[in-house]
Structure formats: C-alpha cells, structure tokens
Amino acid sequence: MNRREFIGGSASVGLLAGGALGWLCAARAQQQNLPVIGLLDGFWGHLLADIRRGLGENGVIEGRDFKFEYSRWSHRSSEYREDQIAKYAAELVKRQVALILAFSNKAALAAKTVTNTTPIIFLADDPVATGLVDSLNRPGGNLTGAASLVSDLIAKRIEIVRELVPTTNFVVLVTDPTNQPSHDIEIREAQAAARALGLQLSIIAWTGEHDFEIELAALPRDRKTVLVFGGGLPFFVRRAHLAYLAAHYEIPAIHGYREAAEDGGLVSFGTRFADGGYPMGVYAARVLKGDKPADLPVQQITRTELVINPWAAKSLGLQIPSTLLARTDEVIE
C-alpha cells in the first residue's frame, strides 16, 4: 500500500468512526430527551410486561417514545409510611416525569399530596372512598387508573379457610389499619362472617413495621386457629416471610395475593391484580398522547382467583376437599 492509499483509507475509517460516534451521541441525546414514566414503588415489576403491552398496542414504544425510571425505594418496612413514599413521589415530580405509575393506595395518595398537575395512573382499592378520585366515571383532577375489588373478599377468605380446616373455631384476621378504607371493610366483613359460621374472631393490626412473629408466638396453641390476611402493601411485600412464619407455627393461613401461594403459602384468594397492568399501560399511552386523567374513567378489575398450594397443605396434614379443588383457578405444582 502506498502513502496516498494509506492516507485515503485512514480518512475513510475516520469518517466512519466519526459517523458512528455521532450516531451514538445523537441516540443518547434522544434517549435523554424522551418522556419519562416514573414508577413510584418497585414491588410490582411483574406487571410491567402487561403495562408495556398496553403502551405498545397503542403505538407507544419503550426506548423510542418514553423510558421508565424507578423511584428510590427499598424494602425497609419504614418505607410503607405515606410520608416516606411522598418523599419519593416528590423526587419524581422534581425530575419532571411525564406521568407517575402508583401501584397501591398509599403510593397513589402520597403522590397526590405532592402534585396536582403531574398525571398519576394508579392500581388501587376503592379509589372513591379513599379520596383519590371524585367518581369512577369522572375522576377529576390528575389521577385515574384501575380499581380492584374490596368488598366480599375477607368473607370469602374465611369461608375458604373454614372449608380447608373444618375443625377450626378461632379465626385471626390480620389487617393494616393504615390501609383505609379497606381496613374498616375487612373488619366488618370478618365480624359478620365469624358470627354466621359460629367462629371466634380475633383481630391483629399489623402495618409491617414490626416482626409479625411476636403476634404468632402469642396465639393460643390449644385451638384450631386459622389466619386470614387482609390487603395492603405490607402483606404483598412480606408475603414470603408471612407464609414461612405461618408454616413454621403450623397455622393454616389464607392470603390475598396469589404470589403468596407461589412463595409457599397455603392458599390465596383475591383480586387478579395482573389484570390491572394492561389498562394502566393503555392509559399511560393515552396520557402521553395528550389525554387528561380527569377524562379517563377508572377501570374496574372484577376478576378474582383462588390459588392452592398442595405442598403446603400436605405439610400441615390437610386434605384439600374435592369441592374446593373444583373451584380452584390454579394449583401450584
């Protein structure tokens, strides 16, 4: 190769390299300028696939039209407090995210306290009674999303665990008093169901801020006790630990989240929360395209699911009735 060819070749390589570098810089700049969807709590990552599907089917693609950004959230129990969640919501607002996804009543309420302009799309319980929206059809303000069932869940859980443990005479409801209005509904339903079935009822208030083993250790050992867990953020976040403790103390327990049965719990019955991901994604796409949350009716999640873990039942010496198996949506293999 002569000198002229070498110089020409070097120049071509330089131009190619410069072009590639320019393209990378442009791509990074574009990525930095994309609208941001802020994820206020990091416990519901399994819903992101359905959220992405809702966005994508409405022409909004991650990496091209938006990017996700998580808030600074850890699994410490102190972070279940609304004031702590509000700090993280405020950080997202300060970073000027295009909208916030909130996956619990506490997260949505906390976000609402720090902004009345940034759109908030939630997955919550009874958002009207909670004060998140004015009505389901006309939310008003800057919030909308998907709402899960609350009524009849606790009564049904008590009936199911009684069917699993027909000899029980003592039901312990574990409920989060900070998770309103669900807490009050759960207590009323538990009291009515216990009366109807002739069971004694005890209520434990648990917010996730102390070790639940203290309460379990104090329960009487000479009774056929069963545990019924309510809904709320601590029960989802600590589900595996709660399932372990119930098994350790050999107390049959029914949970509100299917993930608890997947993580070793005996049985779960509750709203199919996975159904909330897709409508949240659809609404996120519509908001990014210019729709206002106030004009988007809250979508109601009405499907429930019963999940049984036969391995947990076997370890407790329980025989699952065929009538209950026939109604089960999924048996954990």
Side-chain angles (χ1 to χ4, degrees), residues 154 157-158 161 168-175 190 194 199-205 212 215-216 218-220 223-230 235 251-254:
I154 287 295
R157 283 175 206 156
I158 291 176
V161 77
T168 186
N169 56 17
F170 189 44
V171 175
V172 179
L173 171 67
V174 189
T175 179
L199 303 173
Q200 184 177 347
L201 175 69
S202 179
I203 297 171
I204 293 176
F212 182 64
E215 278 83 0
L216 279 184
L219 290 177
R223 300 194 184 189
K224 296 292 186 180
T225 302
V226 294
L227 288 172
V228 177
F229 289 109
F235 297 104
I251 301 176
I254 185 167

Side-chain angles (χ1 to χ4, degrees), residues 94-308:
K94 188 176 180 179
R95 294 201 289 270
Q96 298 183 325
V97 298
L99 62 94
I100 292 173
L101 297 183
F103 298 91
S104 66
N105 284 31
K106 286 185 179 181
L109 286 167
K112 186 179 181 181
T113 64
V114 300
T115 179
N116 58 10
T117 55
T118 302
I120 300 165
I121 299 173
F122 55 71
L123 175 59
D125 304 327
D126 203 338
V128 176
T130 307
L132 290 172
V133 297
D134 296 333
S135 72
L136 296 179
N137 289 330
R138 300 186 63 83
N142 60 317
L143 293 90
T144 190
S148 62
L149 290 172
V150 177
S151 298
D152 299 327
L153 292 180
I154 287 295
K156 191 66 176 177
R157 283 175 206 156
I158 291 176
E159 292 174 7
I160 291 168
V161 77
R162 171 69 183 277
E163 193 171 351
L164 262 173
V165 191
T167 57
T168 186
N169 56 17
F170 189 44
V171 175
V172 179
L173 171 67
V174 189
T175 179
D176 178 4
T178 68
N179 187 39
Q180 293 290 356
S182 299
H183 169 71
D184 293 339
I185 295 172
E186 289 171 352
I187 288 179
R188 287 198 301 270
E189 287 192 2
Q191 291 170 337
R195 281 196 302 270
L197 295 171
L199 303 173
Q200 184 177 347
L201 175 69
S202 179
I203 297 171
I204 293 176
W206 187 68
T207 63
E209 294 190 356
H210 68 272
D211 193 343
F212 182 64
E213 189 168 5
I214 298 171
E215 278 83 0
L216 279 184
L219 290 177
R221 311 301 298 165
D222 58 344
R223 300 194 184 189
K224 296 292 186 180
T225 302
V226 294
L227 288 172
V228 177
F229 289 109
L233 189 57
F235 297 104
F236 180 80
V237 177
R238 302 285 297 279
R239 62 189 183 275
H241 185 60
L242 294 175
Y244 164 77
L245 288 177
H248 177 72
Y249 283 89
E250 299 181 333
I251 301 176
I254 185 167
H255 304 258
Y257 303 99
R258 65 165 294 126
E259 291 84 0
E262 293 172 346
D263 290 340
L266 172 63
V267 59
S268 70
F269 176 80
T271 303
R272 184 178 165 84
F273 284 96
D275 290 349
Y278 180 78
M280 291 179 77
V282 171
Y283 274 6
R286 293 184 63 176
V287 167
L288 289 177
K289 289 180 176 181
D291 285 352
K292 303 298 183 185
D295 301 325
L296 301 175
V298 174
Q299 300 294 308
Q300 296 186 69
I301 307 170
T302 58
R303 196 158 49 146
T304 57
E305 57 184 348
L306 172 62
V307 180
I308 291 179

